[in-house]
């Protein structure tokens, strides 16, 4: 007997065993007949494709899909519905005790199951947003080296000069990229220089593009410019993922970013939207102005925050029935957020007919050097108009007593800066004082919601950059507002990408602020809520996105041929689909085909013979 027969039939009673098995099959009518194998002709979709993050439906694959895709048996028999998958993810998500652990779980989910991940985020915005965005993402960035699990975007180092286009071309989905979010990690929230760990912020921002505005993730690319870090602790951190060098600076740094910008449009096209995120304030403003007429770009820390901040101010105007120009507004902090809001506020007031001087008259700035006065040296150009001819003071409490602001806006990353005395002074001078604690994450907030309500006897209109829980005060449940940039940047990006805008003019940020301020109903405004709820972020993104897209078309910024009345239909048609489609190609019936002329005669002869 040949070796082949030995292996297939066995050497002990091989022939009789085979015959016995065959006999049993023939005699039992209940046994399923086995179809003759034809696996040698089966064309198999590579399993790497079926189980890739973009195609993997996990247990939602139907039985037919499993069999036809040749993955049957590679997972349990259970076929889960959408609700059952959401239950499984929610159970896992809530089983973790710490937010960083939840962040780690969501990273794994995102890298393995793209559509399932965005289904979960979109359905659970309230619970998930504080994890993938502020405040948890900031903490995650501090330990990003420990959490790193694989490719999430592109890292370009200072040693890659002259090769940036080559690196960008390495991105697997480079042909579909239409927007990038870039950071150099120098000013991550209120946490300072985190270097290459800042990639976590760029990833989180772009995921909100998809979850809130429906922009397909294949069109998005997070990028980290690793130009070093001045954070000595990261140099010594064995898990740090970036260069352990001092930061690039001066002309060399500017030339590096110049080359990067040219490489982006050369690789992905001149209509690529470029979102700057968490650059140091001087660099943020410098690049915003430097590329103003060259690229379609914006800075979320400056312009996105400005739209949300002004939206809150317009909300206070709705509550108090008092025009903004009559309010006294004090900015604590003179960084990118505060300067961005002040610039847009001045623009709003000037649109009402005020001169620049009158628009700036009731706006004060305070920073680590005290109140901003005309005697100070080296005032940034954007702040010169706000400098006051008054006595210098380094005490914020003294300044509040002196100017009696009706609104105070903090962006200092100095927790506890808004003291009990400051809040009580404002409440004594105004019926509904506005208190904004913009600093992120929560531990950096200038005051808590409880402090704002308690020290103002429940009169404060309080909003913060990070979420605070509702507060019970004198039998009332007071819900803090969240001045979250997610109410602005997804909508602005959606509008810009929809119409292929050539630029992002200042006016669209002003428009976004007005739309945001009008979103709360009159009843909600009367209750003291000036911002939408986070769970409404999808609705906000769509509403503002449509409005801004129409503005860009009507004012000549759009390159896509699209009428304003067609914007909504276009957005809905091209938005990312959260629901599963079939994993199998569609099939359809064909009529019987006419025979080839060369064989038609033979078929007729055969029929006559029959």
């Amino acid at each position: 007997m040949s070796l082949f027969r030995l292996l297939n039939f066995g050497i002990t009673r091989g022939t009789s065993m085979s015959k016995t098995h065959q006999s049993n099959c023939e005699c039992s009518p209940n046994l399923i007949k086995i179809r003759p194998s034809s696996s040698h002709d089966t064309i198999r979709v590579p399993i790497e494709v079926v189980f890739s993050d973009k195609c993997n439906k996990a247990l939602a694959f139907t039985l037919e899909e499993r069999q036809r895709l040749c993955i049957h048996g590679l997972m349990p028999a259970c076929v889960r519905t959408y609700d059952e998958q959401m239950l499984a993810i929610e159970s896992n998500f809530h089983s973790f005790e710490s937010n960083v652990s939840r962040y780690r779980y969501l990273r794994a989910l995102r890298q393995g199951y793209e559509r399932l991940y965005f289904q979960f985020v979109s359905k659970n915005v309230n619970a998930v947003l504080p994890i993938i965005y502020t405040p948890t993402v900031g903490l995650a960035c501090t330990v990003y080296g420990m959490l790193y699990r694989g490719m999430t975007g592109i890292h370009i180092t200072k040693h890659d000069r002259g090769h940036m286009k080559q690196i960008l071309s390495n991105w697997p989905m480079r042909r579909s990229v239409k927007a990038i979010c870039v950071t150099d990690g120098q000013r991550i929230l209120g946490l300072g220089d985190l270097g290459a760990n800042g990639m976590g912020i760029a990833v989180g921002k772009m995921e909100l593009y998809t979850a809130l505005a429906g922009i397909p993730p294949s069109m998005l690319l997070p990028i980290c410019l690793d130009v070093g870090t001045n954070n000595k602790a990261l140099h010594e951190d064995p898990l740090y993922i970036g260069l352990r060098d001092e930061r690039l600076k001066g002309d060399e740094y500017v030339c590096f970013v110049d080359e990067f910008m040219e490489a982006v449009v050369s690789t992905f096209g001149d209509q690529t939207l470029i979102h700057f995120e968490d650059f140091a304030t001087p660099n943020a403003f410098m690049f915003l102005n430097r590329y103003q007429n060259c690229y379609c770009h914006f800075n979320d820390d400056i312009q996105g925050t400005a739209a949300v901040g002004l939206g809150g101010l317009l909300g206070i105007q709705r509550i108090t029935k008092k025009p903004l120009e009559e309010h006294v507004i004090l900015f604590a902090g003179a960084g990118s957020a505060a300067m961005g809001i002040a610039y847009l506020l001045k623009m709003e007031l000037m649109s009402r007919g005020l001169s620049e001087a009158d628009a700036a008259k009731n706006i004060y700035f305070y920073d680590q050097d005290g109140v901003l006065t005309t005697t100070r040296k080296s005032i940034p150009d954007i702040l010169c108009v706000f400098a006051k001819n008054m006595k210098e003071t380094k005490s914020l409490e003294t300044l509040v007593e002196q100017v009696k602001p009706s609104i105070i806006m903090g962006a200092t990353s100095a927790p506890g800066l808004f003291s009990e005395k400051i809040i009580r002074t404002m409440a004594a001078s105004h019926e509904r004082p506005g208190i904004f604690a913009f600093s992120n994450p929560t531990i950096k907030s200038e005051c808590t919601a409880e402090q704002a309500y308690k020290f103002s006897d429940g009169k404060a209109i309080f909003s913060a950059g990070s979420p605070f829980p509702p507060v019970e005060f004198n039998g009332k449940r007071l819900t803090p507002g969240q001045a979250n940039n997610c109410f602005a940047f997804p909508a602005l990006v959606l509008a810009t990408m929809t119409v292929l805008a050539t630029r992002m003019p200042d006016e669209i940020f002003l428009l976004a602020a007005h739309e945001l301020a009008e979103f709360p109903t009159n009843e909600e405004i009367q209750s003291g809520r000036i911002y939408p709820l986070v769970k409404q972020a999808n609705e906000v993104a769509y509403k503002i996105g449509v409005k801004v897209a129409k503005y860009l078309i009507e004012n000549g910024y759009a390159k896509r041929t699209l009428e304003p009345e067609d914007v909504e239909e276009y957005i809905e048609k091209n938005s990312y689909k959260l629901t599963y489609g079939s994993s199998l190609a569609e099939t359809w019936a064909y009529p019987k085909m006419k025979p080839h002329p060369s064989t038609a005669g033979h078929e007729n002869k055969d029929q006559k013979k029959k």
Side-chain angles (χ1 to χ4, degrees), residues 230-384:
N230 295 336
N231 187 333
K232 300 296 183 183
L234 292 179
H235 290 179
E236 303 300 323
D237 182 357
L239 296 179
Y240 179 57
I241 60 173
L243 296 178
R244 302 171 192 274
D245 301 329
E246 292 296 310
R247 277 190 171 272
L248 208 60
K249 58 185 178 180
D251 291 342
E252 195 175 3
Y253 170 70
V254 175
C255 290
F256 176 87
V257 179
D258 281 349
E259 181 186 336
F260 166 74
M261 296 293 281
E262 292 171 7
V264 166
V265 296
S266 176
T267 306
F268 306 124
D270 59 5
Q271 293 165 2
T272 306
L273 183 149
I274 303 171
H275 169 168
F276 280 80
E277 184 67 31
D278 284 340
F279 283 70
T281 299
N283 295 332
F285 276 98
M286 184 262 292
F287 289 131
L288 187 62
N289 295 325
R290 183 179 183 85
Y291 304 133
Q292 187 173 11
N293 299 314
C294 308
Y295 304 99
C296 180
H297 75 292
F298 77 107
N299 185 297
D300 186 52
D301 305 301
I302 299 171
Q303 296 167 293
T305 303
V308 173
L310 179 57
L313 293 174
L314 292 170
I316 288 181
Q317 179 179 263
R318 287 182 66 188
I319 291 177
T320 61
K321 310 295 184 184
K322 182 179 177 181
L324 277 182
E325 55 266 32
E326 296 179 14
H327 281 273
V328 176
I329 301 171
L330 172 58
F331 287 92
S336 55
M339 286 196 278
I341 297 170
Y343 174 82
L344 200 63
L345 172 59
K346 183 186 72 171
M347 185 177 168
E348 164 67 19
L349 297 181
M350 291 178 67
S351 73
R352 302 182 182 188
L354 275 69
S355 66
E356 184 179 44
D358 287 339
K361 182 176 64 174
N362 289 333
I363 301 174
Y364 293 78
F365 268 85
Y366 170 91
D367 61 13
Q368 68 271 19
D369 296 320
V371 63
L372 182 65
T373 66
T374 53
T375 58
R376 185 184 296 190
K377 299 178 181 179
S378 303
I379 301 175
D381 292 342
I382 197 171
L383 292 182
C384 287

Side-chain angles (χ1 to χ4, degrees), residues 354-472:
L354 275 69
S355 66
E356 184 179 44
D358 287 339
K361 182 176 64 174
N362 289 333
I363 301 174
Y364 293 78
F365 268 85
Y366 170 91
D367 61 13
Q368 68 271 19
D369 296 320
V371 63
L372 182 65
T373 66
T374 53
T375 58
R376 185 184 296 190
K377 299 178 181 179
S378 303
I379 301 175
D381 292 342
I382 197 171
L383 292 182
C384 287
V385 69
F386 301 110
K388 298 294 186 283
N389 185 13
M390 61 185 293
K391 184 179 178 181
E392 293 184 8
T393 177
K394 291 196 173 183
S395 168
L396 183 58
E397 291 182 348
T398 301
L399 181 61
V400 169
E401 284 183 331
Q402 185 177 349
V403 303
K404 294 181 171 51
S406 54
I407 300 172
I408 189 168
M409 308 190 87
T412 62
S413 298
L417 180 65
F418 295 168
S419 65
E420 178 178 354
K421 183 178 180 180
I422 286 174
I423 296 172
R424 291 196 181 281
T425 299
M426 292 181 65
S429 304
H430 304 282
E431 184 59 31
R432 299 300 305 274
I435 300 175
F436 293 82
F438 278 113
S439 295
N440 290 313
T442 312
I443 57 172
K444 298 289 185 178
S445 183
E446 286 75 14
C447 71
T448 66
E450 185 176 6
Q451 290 168 338
Y453 293 131
K454 179 181 177 181
F455 299 151
S456 68
D457 296 323
K459 295 164 64 175
I461 305 168
F462 177 79
S463 293
S466 288
F468 278 95
V471 175
E472 297 289 339

Side-chain angles (χ1 to χ4, degrees), residues 498-500 553 558-563 566 570:
T498 295
V499 303
L500 295 180
I553 293 171
K559 292 192 76 172
R560 192 188 301 281
T561 304
L562 194 65
E563 294 299 323
D566 297 329
Y570 182 88

Side-chain angles (χ1 to χ4, degrees), residues 35-72:
R35 181 174 70 90
S37 175
S38 61
S39 60
H40 62 282
D41 286 331
T42 302
I43 300 175
R44 297 172 180 265
V45 177
I47 198 167
E48 297 83 4
V49 174
V50 179
F51 287 136
S52 68
D53 63 321
K54 296 194 175 302
C55 300
N56 197 347
K57 295 159 66 170
L59 291 177
F61 280 115
T62 67
L63 289 176
E64 182 184 7
E65 288 172 336
R66 298 179 190 194
Q67 292 170 356
R68 292 193 178 279
L69 294 173
C70 302
I71 59 171
H72 193 67

Side-chain angles (χ1 to χ4, degrees), residues 1 87 97 118 133 137 150 192 222 232 250 285 297 330 335 360 415 417 441 447 469 484 506-507 565 568:
M1 182 180 289
L87 175 62
E97 294 184 1
F118 285 114
Y133 194 43
V137 70
K232 300 296 183 183
F285 276 98
H297 75 292
L330 172 58
L417 180 65
C447 71
N484 198 314
D506 290 338
E507 287 76 12
E565 58 269 20
E568 293 183 61

Side-chain angles (χ1 to χ4, degrees), residues 90-230:
E90 287 170 19
S91 299
N92 275 283
F93 178 78
H94 291 296
S95 70
F96 296 100
E97 294 184 1
S98 74
N99 284 340
V100 171
S101 296
R102 293 188 179 107
Y103 179 89
R104 182 191 287 115
Y105 169 70
L106 290 178
R107 288 295 91 225
L109 183 67
R110 170 66 181 89
Q111 290 188 290
Y113 310 90
E114 177 185 285
R115 199 175 305 272
L116 197 55
Y117 171 79
F118 285 114
Q119 286 175 346
F120 178 68
V121 175
S122 296
K123 183 185 177 185
N124 300 275
V125 172
N126 239 22
V128 176
L129 197 67
I131 307 300
I132 64 173
Y133 194 43
T134 181
T136 305
V137 70
L139 181 58
C141 283
T142 64
V143 291
Y144 199 70
M146 181 183 71
L147 300 176
Y148 183 76
R149 292 294 182 273
M151 182 180 70
T152 54
I154 281 184
H155 298 258
I156 298 177
T157 77
K158 62 182 182 180
H159 304 306
D160 296 322
R161 291 286 304 274
H163 303 281
M164 293 190 193
K165 181 174 170 58
Q166 179 183 343
I167 293 172
L168 292 173
S169 297
N170 290 339
W171 185 245
M173 293 165 286
R174 61 189 177 278
R175 296 186 185 280
S176 60
V177 171
K178 302 299 179 188
I180 68 167
C181 179
V182 59
T183 183
D184 71 350
Q186 190 170 3
R187 191 207 63 86
I188 300 299
L189 301 176
L191 301 170
D193 186 353
L194 296 184
N197 287 355
M199 175 61 96
I201 291 289
V203 169
K205 289 278 185 175
M206 303 216 92
E207 289 183 350
L208 293 185
Y209 283 17
T210 301
L212 303 183
I215 300 170
S218 60
M219 301 172 71
L220 310 174
L221 174 58
I223 298 177
C224 178
L225 301 181
D226 186 358
V227 295
T229 175
N230 295 336

